[in-house]
Amino acid sequence: CPYHNWSYGLDGSLKMRPHFFGPDRHDTPAPGEGAVCLSEVRSGTWFDLIFVNLSADAPALDEFLAPAAARMTAHDVGALRHAGTFSCDLAANWKFAVENFIEPYHVFAVHPRLINFAPMEVRSPSVAEGQAFYNEYEFPAAEAGRGDGLPHYPGLGAAGRRRGFWMHLFPSLSFEVYPDQFTLMHLVPLGPDRTREEFHVYLVGEAATSDEHRSGREDVIRTWRDLNDEDIGVVEALQRGRKAEGYGGGAFSPHWDEAPRHFSRLVAEAVSAA
């Protein structure tokens, strides 16, 4: 603990409380006899990601990750290595960032390069099943930053080399997969109208760190930066628009917007339960 330098073992047991009984009178309990222990918190790992959950009612991590694992059977996550991280701050609530991520309807209007890479005719509405959201498409051809120029997942078949997909597991796990990468979007709420977005990029094997693949690695990170920069203005406009006196609830597309509707339901249920 940085406040008084109390120290604990990895099992949460108290090791030492300096000067606890007065100057140079330290509390150093025998093993297993510490008077104060840290509370145990549920945790688990999935390749490089560490999950922590404070709720005793949460499902097991394997159950939570099952929708993701089922759709990544062709992707060897053990081959992934961390390649870089970047972040930005949004003047918007974190839920708008999630809605923007799971809603493909805006792509043609906001993302000119992305719509050329995967036109609207290859896109379908996002699917919502329980606490899982996902979407996938087969793109006509790979490009720099999305599947071209870097090693692919080992053993990935021909179909997988032209497939992109993303997933969101409610409330806060969002990631996107291309043949050569896994990119995690981590949202940190800073207030009701402020959010920090962190993008953690993973590549396959030596592509994450080698000089040989530096250019391809920079292409991937630049592609994600450019895509996110295109989204910032419209997501912040959503925040401002909700405060407008004339806002009456908006309208949903019957084709594209079932996933955002379902996300809103889950948020409402979670808030009501709390």
Side-chain angles (χ1 to χ4, degrees), residues 24 29 39 45 49 89 138 169 181 200 209 227 232 256 268:
D24 294 324
S39 299
T45 60
L49 308 182
D89 288 357
E138 184 175 299
L169 299 180
Q181 64 184 272
H200 303 276
T209 56
L227 187 74
I232 290 175
W256 298 105

Side-chain angles (χ1 to χ4, degrees), residues 174-193:
S174 298
F175 63 86
E176 190 149 358
V177 176
Y178 287 110
D180 59 351
Q181 64 184 272
F182 176 104
T183 298
L184 174 77
M185 183 175 72
H186 180 211
L187 300 178
V188 183
L190 303 176
D193 56 359

Side-chain angles (χ1 to χ4, degrees), residues 3-225:
Y3 196 28
H4 298 111
N5 278 1
W6 291 12
S7 58
Y8 303 85
L10 294 179
D11 61 354
S13 62
L14 179 68
K15 295 296 185 183
M16 183 178 181
R17 293 186 288 188
H19 311 288
F20 186 72
F21 297 113
D24 294 324
R25 297 177 61 198
H26 312 307
D27 181 20
T28 55
E33 297 182 1
V36 178
C37 291
L38 300 179
S39 299
E40 185 175 359
V41 175
R42 294 175 62 185
S43 63
T45 60
W46 183 39
F47 75 100
D48 199 44
L49 308 182
I50 301 172
F51 295 81
V52 177
N53 196 295
L54 304 180
S55 171
D57 298 327
L61 181 60
D62 288 349
E63 180 182 343
F64 174 72
L65 292 172
R71 286 169 179 81
M72 293 193 66
T73 55
H75 298 77
D76 180 6
V77 296
L80 293 171
R81 303 290 183 269
H82 183 253
T85 293
F86 69 92
S87 64
C88 68
D89 288 357
L90 296 175
N93 187 276
W94 69 275
K95 294 186 290 296
F96 286 132
V98 174
E99 289 183 358
N100 179 74
F101 182 68
I102 67 176
E103 184 261 87
Y105 182 28
H106 73 285
V107 173
F108 76 97
V110 178
H111 301 300
R113 180 182 167 188
L114 183 57
I115 199 63
N116 287 332
F117 173 70
M120 293 300 282
E121 55 262 29
V122 306
R123 296 179 178 273
S124 57
S126 300
V127 176
E129 295 178 353
Q131 292 190 316
F133 301 78
Y134 62 91
N135 200 319
E136 62 183 29
Y137 51 86
E138 184 175 299
F139 46 84
E143 65 178 24
R146 296 188 178 100
D148 185 31
L150 290 174
H152 289 182
Y153 288 87
L156 198 62
R161 291 194 289 271
R162 293 177 56 188
R163 175 174 172 248
F165 74 94
W166 62 256
M167 287 208 70
H168 175 80
L169 299 180
F170 185 85
S172 58
L173 177 62
S174 298
F175 63 86
E176 190 149 358
V177 176
Y178 287 110
D180 59 351
Q181 64 184 272
F182 176 104
T183 298
L184 174 77
M185 183 175 72
H186 180 211
L187 300 178
V188 183
L190 303 176
D193 56 359
R194 293 184 303 124
T195 301
R196 175 160 299 138
E197 288 186 322
E198 297 176 349
F199 290 81
H200 303 276
V201 178
Y202 290 81
L203 300 176
V204 176
E206 63 180 12
T209 56
S210 71
D211 288 339
E212 175 188 357
H213 295 294
R214 180 186 301 275
S215 177
R217 185 165 60 247
E218 291 175 349
D219 281 338
V220 171
I221 295 175
R222 185 184 306 111
T223 295
W224 276 106
R225 279 187 179 275

